[in-house]
Amino acid sequence: MAEYIKFKVLAKKVSETKGVADLIEKAEENGVKTAWHRFLEQQPQCGFGLLGVCCRNCNMGPCRIDPFGAGPTKGVCGADADTIVARNILRMIAAGAAAHSDHARDIVHVFKGAATGEFKGYKLTDVEKLKGLAQALGIDVEGKTESEIALEVAHILEWEFGKPDDEPLKLLMATAPKKRIKVWERLGVMPRAIDREICECMHRTHMGVDADPASLLLHGVRTSLADGWSGSMMATYLSDILFGTPKPIKTIANLGVLKEDYVNIIVHGHNPILSMKIAEVAQSEEMQKLAKKYGAKGVNVAGMCCTGNEVLMRLGIPPAGNFLMQELAIITGAVEAMVVDYQCLMPSLIDVAGCYHTKIITTEPKAHIPGAVHIEFKPEKADEIAKEIVKIAIENFQNRPKERVYIPKHKSEVVAGFSVEAILEALGGTLEPLINALREGTIKGIVGVVGCNNPKVKHNHSHVTLTKELIKRDILVVGTGCWGIAAAMEGLMSPKAAELAGPGLKAICEALGIPPCLHMGSCVDCSRILIVLAAMSEALGVDIPDLPVAGSAPEWMSEKAVSIGTYFVASGVFTHLGVVPPVLGSQKVTKLLTDDIEDLIGGKFYVEPDPVKAAETIYNVIIEKRKKLKWPV
C-alpha cells in the first residue's frame, strides 16, 4: 500500500465533485487503482508526445523533433515539426469524426429498421420532427405515410456517408447558414461525403503525401464539418425521432443516485439504442418483481457519460457521474452491472470490477474488452437482449458483499432536456425573446461548454468554475457531454442556481423557471448548439462570427473533442481549450490555429488552463462582438 500514500494526501484535491475523494480513499483501502493513480504512474509523460512532435506513421521511425534545435530537426523522411504536428492533429480529427459518424451510422440503421417494421422494438416517436427533417432535405411529404417518409430520409442520410460525387453534404446544405456556406465554398472545404473525408485524412497523413501544415489543417476543417453538420447532426435528429425530442425533465445527479437496497445497473457509453431499452425493461413490473425475489427492493438504473445523458434527457434517468467517475461507481460496491456500448470506456473497468462483484457487460461488436461478459446487441431482438442483461444484473445482487458497500450521499437537483424545440417552447415558440434579451444587453452572450474530463486538471473544477464565472457576468451557458453532468452535480442545472447569475440572466431565469445553464444532451448533441447558432445568424442577418457567442472545452481529452472544437471554429466560433493540445512543438501550427485561421474562417482556438482567466477573456471577446453590432455593453 506504500505506493498509495503520496496520492492519499492528494485525494481531496483531485476533484471539485463531492464524494469523489471518499471513493478514491476507499479504492486505496481496497487495493484498487483508479485513473488518477495510473496518471501519477505515467509521470513524467513523454515531452515529445505532449508537444506533438513524435511521428510513428511509418516504420522508418518513430521519429521525434527536438523543439529546442539541439537534436534532430527533421524525421527520417524529411518531415519537420510543422508537418508532424499538423499530421497528428489531422489524425485526431479523423478519429473523432469517425467516432461520432459511426455512431450516426448505427442510429440510421435502427431508424431504417423501425421504418420498415423489421425492428419491432423501435418506433417513429416524433413524427413532426421527421416531417420537418424530410422537408429540409427536399422531400415532398404530402400524401405519404410515416414509413415512406422515413425511408426516403434514411436513403439520403445513408448516402451522406459514401456518395461518390463532389456535391456537398445534403444535411449540411439544409441546416447551415447561407453566409457560412459561402465562406466554406470560398476556402474549398465543403465536405463531400463523411467517410471520404475521414479516408482522405488517413491518406494525406501517410508517408510521402501531404507535407504542408496549412493544407493538412484545412482538410481537418473539411472533415470536422462533415462530422458536426452531418454525422453528429443526423445522430441527434434521428435519436429524437426514434425516442422523442427532449423536454425539460427533473431528476438528481451524482453518486448518491445509487440505492443500497436495490439492484443498481449503470448504462455507460454513447449510443442510446440499447440503453433506452435497458431503462425501459428494468423499470417494468416483471423485472421489479424479479428483483424482489432476489432480496432487493427493486431495480435502479443510473447513467454514466453520454449514454447517461441520452437517458437523462428523455427518461429522467439520474446520472451517477461523468468520464473520470466510471471506476468510482464500481468502487461503491453497490453496482450489479455496468452495461457499456462504446466510446470513453476504460479497459480498467475489468480490473476494478474484479475487486468487487460487478459484472461489466459489453454489447457492441466493435467494442470488446477482455474479461467482460459479452452479449452482442441486435436491434431485431432489442427487448429480448435487454431483458437478458437486466436479469443477469438482478441475479448478481445476491453476490454483493454488503460490508463493502459505501455510497456517498451527495446528489443535486437537475432540470435537463433542453433541446432546441424545448428552448423555443420556453420562449413562446420563437427565438425573438432570446435575441431581444441579447440585443438589449439583459443577457450579454451565450457560451457553449462541452467536453470531457482529464486527470491532467482537477476533475470538474474547470467546468464548474468557468460556468460560474460566465453566468455571474450575465452570460447564458448551454452545453453537452461531461460538462453537463459536472454542472448537474454542482447544482448549476437547478432553477435555484439563478441566484448565482448576474441580474439580467437571473431575471430571465426566474421569469421562465429555468436554470442559468441549459443541458442540451450528449456530445453528438453539440449539433443542437449549431442549430441555435444557425437560427440566430439567419434571424439577425449576420454571420456566426458576428454573434456574441463563444465555445469552451475546459477539460477535454478525446479525439472527438478535437473534431468538435474544429467544427465550432470552422463555424466561426471563438473556442477555448482548457487543456493544452499537442501542437506547441510547431510555432507555425500553433499560430495558424490560434491566430491566422480567424481571418480565413471567422473562429479560432484560445488556450488557457486557468478557468477564471479564460472566463474573463471569453467575456471580453463577447463584449467586442456586441460593440461591433452596436449593441449596449
Side-chain angles (χ1 to χ4, degrees), residues 133 137 160 169-175 229-230 233-234:
L133 174 59
L137 292 170
E160 294 277 272
L169 292 167
K170 284 188 177 291
L171 193 51
L172 178 147
M173 295 299 291
T175 54
W229 290 94
S230 187
M233 188 76 72
M234 74 174 80

Side-chain angles (χ1 to χ4, degrees), residues 469-489:
E469 290 292 320
L470 291 172
I471 63 174
K472 80 179 186 183
R473 290 171 167 84
D474 284 320
I475 293 174
L476 175 66
V477 177
V478 302
T480 64
C482 284
W483 167 81
I485 296 174
M489 293 188 295

Side-chain angles (χ1 to χ4, degrees), residues 129-141 149-150 153 156:
K129 188 153 191 172
L130 169 63
K131 290 179 180 177
L133 174 59
Q135 290 170 325
L137 292 170
I139 297 169
D140 182 5
V141 303
I149 296 167
V153 168
I156 290 173

Side-chain angles (χ1 to χ4, degrees), residues 30-49:
N30 296 162
V32 176
K33 289 183 180 179
T34 67
W36 286 283
H37 296 102
R38 294 189 298 275
F39 177 72
L40 282 182
E41 290 175 343
Q42 287 292 326
Q43 303 308 308
Q45 291 180 308
C46 173
F48 297 107

Side-chain angles (χ1 to χ4, degrees), residues 165-399:
D165 58 46
D166 288 339
E167 290 299 309
L169 292 167
K170 284 188 177 291
L171 193 51
L172 178 147
M173 295 299 291
T175 54
K178 294 179 179 61
K179 290 180 184 290
R180 275 287 91 190
I181 289 172
K182 287 180 180 178
V183 171
W184 300 330
E185 287 174 337
R186 188 179 71 246
L187 286 172
V189 295
M190 286 292 284
R192 302 152 295 184
I194 297 165
D195 293 349
R196 180 177 180 180
E197 307 309 352
I198 294 167
C199 180
E200 190 171 314
C201 285
M202 303 312 291
H203 184 191
R204 281 175 180 256
T205 56
H206 187 277
M207 188 272 156
V209 189
D210 199 344
D212 182 347
S215 172
L216 288 159
L217 294 174
L218 278 175
H219 187 69
V221 166
R222 174 182 254 175
T223 306
S224 73
L225 289 172
D227 172 8
W229 290 94
S230 187
S232 288
M233 188 76 72
M234 74 174 80
T236 296
Y237 263 107
L238 298 188
S239 294
D240 285 354
I241 292 167
L242 284 169
F243 303 116
T245 301
K247 296 180 178 180
I249 192 166
K250 188 182 291 187
T251 186
I252 51 176
N254 207 339
L255 291 157
V257 306
L258 299 174
K259 298 180 180 179
E260 191 164 340
D261 298 325
Y262 284 70
V263 174
N264 288 301
I265 300 174
I266 289 184
V267 290
H268 175 24
H270 284 74
N271 191 327
I273 295 295
L274 175 61
S275 56
M276 290 289 289
K277 280 292 170 188
I278 295 286
E280 180 185 311
V281 168
Q283 294 175 87
S284 70
E285 187 177 345
E286 179 187 357
M287 292 297 107
Q288 295 292 331
K289 282 183 178 178
L290 184 63
K292 289 172 184 174
K293 177 183 173 182
Y294 279 87
K297 290 183 178 178
V299 183
N300 177 50
V301 180
M304 185 68 63
C305 280
C306 278
T307 282
N309 281 321
E310 295 279 3
V311 294
L312 163 64
M313 290 276 282
R314 296 186 177 91
L315 300 176
I317 298 294
N322 50 14
F323 173 68
L324 280 177
M325 297 171 72
Q326 58 189 279
E327 296 168 311
L328 302 184
I330 296 170
I331 291 165
T332 64
V335 175
E336 275 58 58
M338 182 174 281
V339 186
V340 304
D341 45 77
Y342 47 53
Q343 297 173 22
C344 300
L345 317 173
M346 293 186 183
S348 64
L349 289 172
I350 302 302
D351 300 328
V352 177
C355 299
Y356 302 92
H357 75 297
T358 306
K359 291 186 183 294
I360 306 298
I361 302 175
T362 54
T363 59
E364 286 286 339
K366 66 191 79 173
H368 289 259
I369 305 176
V373 176
H374 188 72
I375 301 175
E376 198 149 306
F377 175 68
K378 294 179 173 60
E380 63 271 24
K381 296 181 178 180
D383 292 306
E384 180 184 328
I385 292 169
K387 188 176 290 188
E388 179 186 355
I389 290 170
V390 173
K391 280 183 176 179
I392 289 172
I394 290 171
E395 290 167 3
N396 195 30
F397 180 78
Q398 61 193 344
N399 298 320

Side-chain angles (χ1 to χ4, degrees), residues 236 246 305-306 309-310 312-313 414-420 423 445-452 463 466-467 470-471 475-488 492-493 515-530 532-533 550-554 564 567-568:
T236 296
C305 280
C306 278
N309 281 321
E310 295 279 3
L312 163 64
M313 290 276 282
V414 182
V415 178
F418 287 95
S419 59
V420 177
I423 292 171
I446 303 172
V447 174
V449 189
V450 304
C452 333
H463 284 314
L466 179 79
T467 301
L470 291 172
I471 63 174
I475 293 174
L476 175 66
V477 177
V478 302
T480 64
C482 284
W483 167 81
I485 296 174
L492 294 173
M493 288 181 175
C517 308
L518 303 184
H519 186 299
M520 297 191 77
S522 65
C523 57
V524 294
D525 293 333
C526 288
S527 56
R528 297 191 200 276
I529 301 173
L530 294 180
V532 173
L533 292 175
S552 175
I564 292 168
Y567 72 63
F568 270 106

